[in-house]
Amino acid sequence: MSTEPPLYLRVADELRARIESGELLPGTRLPSVSEISAQYGGSNPIATGAYKVLVDDGLVVSRHGAGHYVRSNETPELLVRRHRRRSEDSPFAQGAAEQGAVGTWRHESTTETATASVAGRLDLEPGEPVMHTSYTYLADERPVQIAESWEPLAVTGRSLIALPEVGPYAGIGVAARMRVIGIEVGDPVEKVRARLAARQEAQGLGMTPPGPVLAIERTYYDQATGRPVETADVVMRGDRWVAEYGQAPHGG
């Protein structure tokens, strides 16, 4: 009778050794379930079993639809927000990972009719249908940012990107999703101001008592037509974020 441990435990042990040795750094996105299955010649339950062990051990964080990440032992005190136009991954997840944190988020999407305010920002008539998505973004499972996003269903409604966080293009960010339907958006237009968090915002961000936030009104435009294709209200903890714009030239 063989005493060799099950394959899923051996896979977990190999990944654990790579994490504990520092080969896989905090924030690193780990191989997908299908990649693990192909590498070890097993089935998907082998990979999911291995990741469950690592999640239970506190070494890995799982984000539905976005994969598994090496957990950081210490979230950076200050997170830097940069624009990532060409990224095919979530800009938030990628940026957090580069700073040693695991970026995840919760979301809820509903079809609504555009209010006068949202319609004005999206160049629609009030009452036209939009997809409204509410987000809570977390760094190492601690809330650091919330957002309300609206997209005109006249643009996305007949495509696979209509639901931002469902389907084959879930979780890849606005620019990459719009590229799927042939729209290049470039950098968004943003209006940024500092203020105190409203009570509901403070609750969502875990701020007790309410403190300062960066409030950003963001709109993406189709570069070919000038049409707005997404607008959002983003609220970031003022004590956890610094926003960085532009890029220094490379030395000759």
Side-chain angles (χ1 to χ4, degrees), residues 72-134:
S72 173
N73 293 325
E74 184 175 348
T75 304
E77 285 301 313
L78 193 64
L79 292 162
V80 180
R81 177 179 182 265
R82 302 180 180 94
H83 287 302
R84 301 175 181 278
R85 185 190 308 180
R86 300 302 303 183
S87 173
E88 296 301 324
D89 292 323
S90 157
F92 176 77
Q94 182 180 344
E98 290 174 357
Q99 297 173 69
V102 176
T104 60
W105 57 96
R106 299 189 292 263
H107 59 87
E108 182 178 0
S109 294
T110 55
T111 300
E112 298 178 357
T113 55
T115 64
S117 173
V118 169
R121 288 161 59 172
L122 288 174
D123 196 18
L124 304 174
E125 292 295 326
E128 288 193 51
V130 293
M131 184 63 68
H132 176 205
T133 305
S134 299

Side-chain angles (χ1 to χ4, degrees), residues 9-195:
L9 288 179
R10 283 182 277 149
V11 174
D13 286 343
E14 290 186 23
L15 289 171
R16 180 186 291 105
R18 295 175 65 192
I19 293 170
E20 292 178 344
S21 71
E23 178 186 348
L24 296 173
L25 297 174
T28 299
R29 185 174 184 175
L30 296 168
S32 68
V33 167
S34 60
E35 289 170 338
I36 290 288
S37 300
Q39 179 181 350
Y40 289 90
S43 59
N44 283 359
I46 299 298
T48 55
Y51 277 134
K52 183 179 187 305
V53 170
L54 295 172
V55 169
D56 290 345
D57 288 349
L59 293 174
V60 168
V61 172
S62 173
R63 218 289 283 182
H64 180 68
H68 296 81
Y69 296 81
V70 179
R71 182 191 293 274
S72 173
N73 293 325
E74 184 175 348
T75 304
E77 285 301 313
L78 193 64
L79 292 162
V80 180
R81 177 179 182 265
R82 302 180 180 94
H83 287 302
R84 301 175 181 278
R85 185 190 308 180
R86 300 302 303 183
S87 173
E88 296 301 324
D89 292 323
S90 157
F92 176 77
Q94 182 180 344
E98 290 174 357
Q99 297 173 69
V102 176
T104 60
W105 57 96
R106 299 189 292 263
H107 59 87
E108 182 178 0
S109 294
T110 55
T111 300
E112 298 178 357
T113 55
T115 64
S117 173
V118 169
R121 288 161 59 172
L122 288 174
D123 196 18
L124 304 174
E125 292 295 326
E128 288 193 51
V130 293
M131 184 63 68
H132 176 205
T133 305
S134 299
Y135 292 95
T136 299
Y137 294 90
L138 306 99
D140 292 337
E141 301 183 327
R142 301 175 187 174
V144 293
Q145 176 179 314
I146 57 177
E148 304 292 332
S149 167
W150 297 270
E151 296 177 354
L153 285 173
V155 173
T156 65
R158 295 181 180 274
S159 72
L160 291 174
I161 69 165
L163 285 165
E165 299 297 329
V166 176
Y169 302 106
I172 62 173
V174 175
R177 286 177 50 253
M178 291 297 167
R179 201 172 299 127
V180 171
I181 58 174
I183 295 175
E184 287 290 340
V185 296
D187 292 328
V189 174
E190 295 189 339
K191 300 176 183 178
V192 185
R193 64 190 179 101
R195 58 171 172 79

Side-chain angles (χ1 to χ4, degrees), residues 195-212:
R195 58 171 172 79
L196 288 177
R199 180 179 59 82
Q200 188 172 1
E201 293 169 342
Q203 289 176 345
L205 291 168
M207 304 173 72
T208 307

